[in-house]
Amino acid sequence: MGKLQALIFDVDGTLANTERDGHRVAFNRAFARAGLNWDWSVLLYGELLAIAGGKERIRFFIDEYRPDFEHPTDLDQFIADLHATKTRYYQQLVAEGCIPLRRGVKRLLKEAREQEMRLAIATTAALPNVTALLDHTLGSDSQSWFEVIAAGDIVPAKKPAPDIYHYVLEAMDLDPRDCLVFEDSHHGLLASSQAGLKTVVTVNTYTRYQNFSGALLVLNHLGEPDQPFTVLAGNAGDRSYLDMALASHLHGK
Ligand code: XBP
Ligand code: MG
């Protein structure tokens, strides 16, 4: 195994806690706008997160929770339109600053860039949502920090399928053994592990009790020098925040 060459980040739940106060709220606004009396509570949304991808999640909800819903003639188009409205609402929320980055993310990205580490993004979410989040949290040039931003429908099978990670590895001509992934969910970990990638997990309230066996390290967040992380599984030695030294150490294990 060679030196660590690239960090690959998931977005939702990993870079920022986007789901509860971002995507969920945007879905509900889109439903209201379309005159639908659907409301995804915090609790229900936790169940719906079992389905990756916004369009797929809406379809699943209709099938499983609204069996009596009278399908429009073109259900695919109906869902696509609803999702496009949701994307606009989500971008508004991001622009209003409702969704900050998670602890330690900005610091780690800065250090990685200083070390000329190659960076990429691998997410299930739609590309405009990712770029909006990057623009509003890291600045308008931050898209260029990432050699590849692999998002949404760019691959046919979303996480937990490994396809999005295969896409990134191929686009960057990287061996999976030379990378480190950051994920927040069981689905994400399944996707990265199946692509042969070593993974650090930072949990959030939706994913806290999921199964993360196979992860190198499971943390409550990446930590900061004055705000230590809690190790939930794995061994971080005497470290209290995840920096490039710890990333390289974990990768070399
Ligand atoms: C993210 C998702 C996405 C977002 C919604 O999963 O599941 O579906 O909830 O995004 P991951 P879109 O973090 O594992 O990539 O509505 O843009 O699809
Ligand atoms: Mg995620």
Side-chain angles (χ1 to χ4, degrees):
M1 185 183 48
K3 206 167 151 257
L4 176 61
Q5 290 186 34
L7 303 184
I8 311 174
F9 291 88
D10 169 52
V11 176
D12 296 298
T14 301
L15 294 186
N17 280 326
T18 54
E19 297 290 9
R20 194 191 67 181
D21 302 328
H23 291 295
R24 185 186 69 89
V25 173
F27 279 115
N28 284 334
R29 288 187 183 168
F31 299 153
R33 175 76 193 250
L36 297 160
N37 67 344
W38 303 346
D39 183 57
W40 289 359
S41 68
V42 171
L43 199 66
L44 171 62
Y45 195 67
E47 291 173 29
L48 297 174
L49 281 173
I51 305 302
K55 292 192 287 288
E56 292 80 356
R57 194 168 296 144
I58 295 170
R59 185 182 300 275
F60 174 81
F61 175 76
I62 293 170
D63 290 346
E64 299 296 322
Y65 292 79
R66 288 292 183 276
D68 297 334
F69 175 65
E70 205 174 310
H71 285 200
T73 330
D74 189 342
L75 183 63
D76 288 350
Q77 192 57 51
F78 170 80
I79 291 174
D81 291 344
L82 205 49
H83 188 250
T85 308
K86 176 257 166 180
T87 297
R88 285 196 296 277
Y89 282 123
Y90 178 81
Q91 288 175 300
Q92 268 175 29
L93 287 164
V94 170
E96 287 162 13
C98 298
I99 304 165
L101 291 177
R102 293 195 65 187
R103 189 167 296 166
V105 166
K106 196 169 187 169
R107 172 190 51 72
L108 180 63
L109 284 172
K110 182 172 178 284
E111 192 191 356
R113 275 167 48 74
E114 281 162 7
Q115 297 190 9
E116 296 180 10
M117 181 65 44
R118 297 173 73 188
L119 299 173
I121 279 176
T123 176
T124 293
L127 183 63
N129 293 337
V130 181
T131 53
L133 185 75
L134 293 178
D135 284 358
H136 290 283
T137 54
L138 291 168
S140 53
D141 69 326
S142 57
Q143 284 179 49
S144 69
W145 302 359
F146 300 91
E147 227 174 289
V148 174
I149 300 180
D153 299 327
I154 202 164
V155 288
K158 293 185 175 170
K159 298 175 190 175
D163 302 31
I164 198 81
Y165 282 106
H166 286 146
Y167 179 95
V168 169
L169 292 169
E170 199 176 312
M172 294 171 77
D173 194 21
L174 278 166
D175 187 312
R177 290 169 300 183
D178 298 336
C179 308
L180 190 62
V181 168
F182 292 85
E183 273 285 358
D184 71 301
S185 70
H186 175 64
H187 275 168
L189 176 63
L190 276 181
S192 60
S193 304
Q194 288 181 88
L197 290 151
K198 295 182 174 184
T199 305
V200 171
V201 172
T202 49
V203 300
N204 54 62
T205 47
Y206 276 132
T207 66
R208 173 72 181 81
Y209 298 106
Q210 293 180 351
N211 175 5
F212 293 118
S213 50
L216 281 181
L217 190 63
V218 183
L219 304 169
N220 61 337
H221 51 68
L222 293 176
E224 291 286 14
D226 58 346
Q227 292 164 315
F229 56 46
T230 300
V231 177
L232 304 171
N235 187 352
D238 59 357
R239 310 306 303 264
S240 62
Y241 62 98
L242 198 144
D243 60 1
M244 284 308 300
L246 180 55
S248 299
H249 171 74
L250 291 167
H251 170 258
K253 270 187 176 177

